[in-house]
Amino acid sequence: MRVAFVALETALHVDSEANRRLKGLAEDLAARGHDVCVFCAKWWTGDMAEWEHEDVVYRGLVDECESERTFRYALPMAVRKFGAEVVHAAGRPPKQVSAAKKAARVARAPLVTDWYGDCDEYGRAHRKALKKSDRVITPSEMVQTHVWEHGASEDAVDVIPNSIDFDLLQSVEPREVADVVYARRLDEGANLESVLLALAELRQVDWSAVVIGDGPERAAYEQQARDLRIDDRITWLGECDREQRVAVYRGAHVFAQTARECLFATELLWALACGCIGIVEYHADSSAHELLVRRDAEFDRGFRTTSEQELAAAISEAAGMERLAVDDRFAEFDRREILERYLQCYREEMESVGLF
């Protein structure tokens, strides 16, 4: 299968969850033997029009991400020359989706748009992009609801979550750093204070905690821990790579997810697969609870809370539950399983235009 990705900005330009998601998918497709080309702005120097990375070809149509209009103009003929059977566009910037639709028409291929939902508000360009797409893929049901509300056809939107790597997970040795883990960029939306206040209520209980991540609010959170007189029981690890995070998750007992905004709770998913008990504080702009709510009938290692008191009670109750270093029930999120879901989507859309 020949798949053309349309992404003016890639993870090799800017590291973001949405960009990493598409990069991982492109690399998994290439590893499976599919022909993958990412049409983007150049992220490399020199005169070469193409660059290959992890068996994925990156074709630079413009020199800089700011040249969006030139990029959109050059895209249709470039995609046709590649001979794409599927065009897969990133939803940001939204105007590139309309250009990707023109490219798909020229190539006689379907347009699939990966819509991560990382936009401040939905404007005309966003609504137009959603309506132009033959299929819209979102990472969570929350984002799915948003795109339905802004013009996408109900039967044209699917949820395909972020993936995890079970082979990597099982190959990393557990590292027993702490009982309770929090992991996120420490910015104004982190809401780490909920965890700190809950832990402060459990001063008389034997616990230890670790915070993974860095950001502009780290110093303020460290000061809050000192003010609550619990700083001597918290380890601040800062930024960690994936293997370091997995090692901590596998050695921990509880993962606390309290961020106010979350399009998809990637770190929570990794932690649950590593055997952690998940405690999610509900927020209207967070999809984290979906990883627990959708499993109510079978999943007995998760708590949903709405206050620091409930969070403290959940941590206390979790202390008496079995420790695990892996939970096979989350194998459905393995990268190979998620890739199959994308491939099924591609096949269905190719069949609808007579290509499969």
Side-chain angles (χ1 to χ4, degrees), residues 140-151:
S140 64
E141 294 172 7
M142 182 186 76
V143 179
Q144 181 186 51
T145 299
H146 291 169
V147 301
W148 280 339
E149 291 172 347
H150 291 90

Side-chain angles (χ1 to χ4, degrees), residues 159-339:
V159 175
I160 300 182
N162 290 352
S163 66
I164 55 178
D165 188 338
F166 250 74
D167 288 342
L168 170 65
L169 186 156
Q170 294 174 318
S171 71
V172 175
E173 290 297 319
R175 180 185 172 195
E176 295 185 3
V177 177
D179 304 308
V180 180
V181 182
Y182 176 96
R184 190 191 184 276
R185 174 171 166 76
L186 301 180
D187 56 21
E188 61 183 10
N191 192 31
L192 177 57
E193 58 263 32
S194 285
V195 179
L196 298 178
L197 290 169
L199 292 174
E201 290 197 18
L202 300 172
R203 286 190 189 89
Q204 307 307 315
V205 179
D206 183 20
W207 58 262
S208 58
V210 62
V211 176
I212 296 176
D214 209 339
E217 298 300 316
R218 176 173 173 174
Y221 284 129
E222 290 182 346
Q223 182 60 53
Q224 183 178 15
R226 288 191 291 270
D227 293 342
L228 292 169
R229 301 190 305 281
I230 58 173
D231 56 300
D232 59 329
R233 300 165 74 174
I234 300 176
T235 302
W236 304 80
L237 291 183
E239 290 298 336
C240 297
D241 63 24
R242 176 52 61 202
E243 290 191 14
Q244 292 171 322
R245 289 172 183 245
V246 168
V248 173
Y249 298 161
R250 295 198 73 190
H253 193 40
V254 170
F255 186 95
Q257 172 80 31
T258 57
R260 295 185 182 90
E261 297 179 359
C262 182
L263 299 172
F264 183 83
T266 303
E267 296 306 316
L268 172 63
L269 173 58
W270 275 98
L272 292 171
C274 288
C276 285
I277 296 163
I279 301 179
V280 174
E281 185 175 75
Y282 178 79
H283 294 282
D285 293 325
S286 171
S287 70
H289 63 281
E290 293 177 19
L291 290 172
L292 304 183
V293 171
R294 64 193 294 273
R295 300 172 172 278
D296 272 351
E298 59 182 88
F299 190 61
D300 53 358
R301 294 177 63 82
F303 297 86
R304 287 169 285 162
T305 67
T306 58
S307 67
E308 290 82 8
Q309 292 75 26
E310 290 182 3
L311 182 57
I315 293 173
S316 181
E317 184 175 345
M321 298 173 69
E322 181 185 7
R323 280 183 176 266
L324 299 176
V326 64
D327 191 335
D328 291 329
R329 288 176 291 185
F330 289 88
E332 68 181 274
F333 293 94
D334 182 69
R335 59 193 299 182
R336 287 164 293 203
E337 298 295 325
I338 296 301
L339 177 60

